[in-house]
Amino acid sequence: MDSWILIKILLQIKMGLILPLTILMLILGTTCGAFGKRESKVKTAIFLSPKFELGPGSVANKYDYDIDFPRGHIALKSFNAEVIDELGNPVPLHETYLHHWVVARYYEAKHVATHTRYDGHRELHQSGHVMVRNGGICQRDVLGQYFGLGSETRGTATDVPDPFGIVVGDPAEIPEGYEEKWLVNIHAIDTRGVVDKLGCTECRCDLYNVTEDEYGRPIRSDYKGGLFCCYDESQCKLREGFEGPKRSLYLRYTVKWVDWDKFIVPVTIYILDVTDTVKIADDSSGVVLEHNCLTEYDVESCSSGEKECLHVKRTRVPVQKGGYVIYGVAHQHSGGTGSSLYGKVMFNTAVILVKLGISNSFFSPCMVCLQIENYSCKRVFNNDYSCKSLSI
């Protein structure tokens, strides 16, 4: 059977924080001439997440299980989302900052009762549940989601072109006695009336007045900001005397798909993380890759009086297959200005450097080494702004 793999790279930059960037890359074991033709019959459905509530300066970081989602043996073509109010109106980012949302897939035993609401745990720990992660490449279940973006969600296309599709719901893959389900994690920050909107969205610990994470564990003194400080039901500092109503909000998500047929080219999602300190080793079975995706890292402030400074961070990640790049988009927080992905295709003796485009770039089936470059303007803690180029 031919090997088809889609690489989805998610990258997110946020004051000392990298979460996922998004590219879709197809790794092929045959040529385009072998593709069959199909008449596209795309179906569309719009769903709402369970309600979450936010008051001025408050944070919601909810995990909802068994969400509404297309069922059956299908090929997903796109997934788009945005935050709306009770009247169905889109909520502006300057009032509710959508830090991120991610959608993950799991199997649940048919005899197990579903937990539909966040219960204080980040994963399904109880027996009877099996997380179905993407194709990699991070360790264990780190960055194992299928879809995810953040504040840049509106206007960001996620369409997978024909004849490709992200195939789910295959009865042959679902274990006996289990059924396929989906969960969504929504992390949103209400910035109405806060003393520092950018600082709140950067999850600066001093603005949240926290010294412990949501599990009561002490936060190290050099941790200036990140997910440990803006957890569910935390509160960012408000302007003195500010009052505002609590709002009920939803994540409205639109899913497009087609029913499975023999002309669909299946693809697999991969997520790469700039903090991945991958180690390459050899053993009797060949090359062994040990990944260590950290998801966060610190960007140091500029020196005093410096108007501009350059911060560079790169990672190179070997991917032991090749193929087509069919989609790509950077996932960045405020301050980000651009991202680039580069690839080296390595044959037995020759190395060819290629810059990957967003659509229809080709990799031969061999070892591929990817390098991500991201550019951002970074805020300095003295409330000045300093433009930085951040290379990933």
Side-chain angles (χ1 to χ4, degrees):
M1 178 180 294
D2 294 322
S3 175
W4 303 91
I5 299 181
L6 174 72
I7 293 185
K8 180 179 183 181
I9 303 177
L10 298 174
L11 170 71
Q12 187 175 49
I13 297 183
K14 181 174 190 301
M15 198 266 315
L17 171 65
I18 294 289
L19 287 174
L21 162 130
T22 299
I23 80 162
L24 300 183
M25 174 178 163
L26 183 66
I27 298 180
L28 309 178
T30 185
T31 64
C32 279
F35 296 164
K37 292 184 178 180
R38 66 183 305 277
E39 181 183 354
S40 181
K41 295 181 179 179
V42 178
K43 300 179 181 180
T44 301
I46 300 175
F47 304 104
L48 295 180
S49 73
K51 178 178 68 175
F52 59 96
E53 294 183 332
L54 285 176
S58 66
V59 177
N61 189 21
K62 305 298 184 183
Y63 289 77
D64 297 301
Y65 306 116
D66 192 19
I67 61 172
D68 292 330
F69 205 85
R71 306 295 180 180
H73 194 185
I74 61 176
L76 299 172
K77 302 294 289 183
S78 73
F79 190 109
N80 295 294
E82 65 174 345
V83 174
I84 62 170
D85 62 20
E86 286 187 303
L87 299 178
N89 300 315
V91 177
L93 283 173
H94 68 268
E95 294 181 356
T96 299
Y97 182 78
L98 183 56
H99 183 285
H100 72 262
W101 59 266
V102 297
V103 172
R105 180 183 174 205
Y106 66 99
Y107 298 143
E108 180 180 79
K110 293 180 179 179
H111 68 277
V112 173
T114 297
H115 294 271
T116 58
R117 189 33 122 183
Y118 174 79
D119 60 1
H121 298 280
R122 293 193 178 279
E123 296 178 355
L124 296 171
H125 293 294
Q126 60 269 40
S127 61
H129 295 92
V130 179
M131 293 302 300
V132 186
R133 65 157 301 141
N134 53 46
I137 58 177
C138 292
Q139 70 279 11
R140 298 181 298 279
D141 288 331
V142 175
L143 299 179
Q145 66 266 22
Y146 268 56
F147 300 98
L149 282 173
S151 61
E152 78 287 3
T153 291
R154 294 188 183 112
T156 300
T158 61
D159 300 297
V160 179
D162 289 335
F164 312 114
I166 302 168
V167 178
V168 299
D170 184 351
E173 295 181 354
I174 300 174
E176 180 83 23
Y178 284 75
E179 54 188 340
E180 181 182 87
K181 295 189 176 183
W182 297 81
L183 68 86
V184 63
N185 166 220
I186 306 166
H187 189 190
I189 302 171
D190 192 312
T191 58
R192 292 174 295 160
V194 298
V195 297
D196 184 345
K197 286 194 175 188
L198 183 59
C200 289
T201 62
E202 289 177 335
C203 296
R204 278 178 43 186
C205 300
D206 59 334
L207 291 174
Y208 285 88
N209 192 29
V210 295
T211 57
E212 297 179 341
D213 67 14
E214 62 183 312
Y215 302 110
R217 298 171 299 199
I219 298 173
R220 67 179 193 270
S221 60
D222 62 344
Y223 187 85
K224 302 301 182 183
L227 286 173
F228 291 162
C229 296
C230 57
Y231 45 82
D232 189 52
E233 298 185 0
S234 58
Q235 177 72 43
C236 199
K237 186 176 181 180
L238 295 174
R239 298 194 303 268
E240 186 174 354
F242 182 87
E243 295 182 1
K246 182 178 288 188
R247 295 198 295 194
S248 297
L249 304 173
Y250 305 83
L251 187 75
R252 180 170 61 195
Y253 53 101
T254 302
V255 186
K256 294 183 179 181
W257 75 96
V258 295
D259 293 330
W260 164 256
D261 67 38
K262 64 180 181 181
F263 297 115
I264 294 171
V265 179
V267 293
T268 303
I269 297 171
Y270 281 73
I271 294 181
L272 278 67
D273 181 5
V274 70
T275 67
D276 188 359
T277 56
V278 60
K279 295 180 180 179
I280 304 176
D282 291 311
D283 65 9
S284 58
S285 61
V287 176
V288 177
L289 303 178
E290 298 179 2
H291 294 277
N292 185 28
C293 300
L294 305 176
T295 71
E296 291 187 328
Y297 80 97
D298 291 326
V299 179
E300 297 297 329
S301 298
C302 295
S303 301
S304 178
E306 194 172 6
K307 293 183 177 180
E308 291 187 0
C309 58
L310 179 68
H311 178 86
V312 178
K313 186 174 181 65
R314 297 185 178 93
T315 191
R316 296 191 177 190
V317 183
V319 180
Q320 294 175 284
K321 292 179 181 289
Y324 291 98
V325 177
I326 64 168
Y327 175 86
V329 63
H331 176 30
Q332 302 174 321
H333 279 224
S334 50
T337 59
S339 243
S340 296
L341 176 72
Y342 299 85
K344 285 185 178 180
V345 182
M346 289 172 281
F347 298 88
N348 291 335
T349 57
V351 177
I352 300 175
L353 178 64
V354 296
K355 181 174 180 179
L356 301 182
I358 290 181
S359 177
N360 295 332
S361 296
F362 179 68
F363 274 138
S364 296
C366 54
M367 176 73 82
V368 177
C369 204
L370 299 177
Q371 175 177 307
I372 309 167
E373 291 187 352
N374 190 81
Y375 307 93
S376 76
C377 290
K378 180 187 173 294
R379 183 175 187 235
V380 186
F381 279 116
N382 61 7
N383 292 326
D384 293 331
Y385 289 82
S386 183
C387 191
K388 293 173 177 282
S389 174
L390 184 62
S391 297
I392 309 300

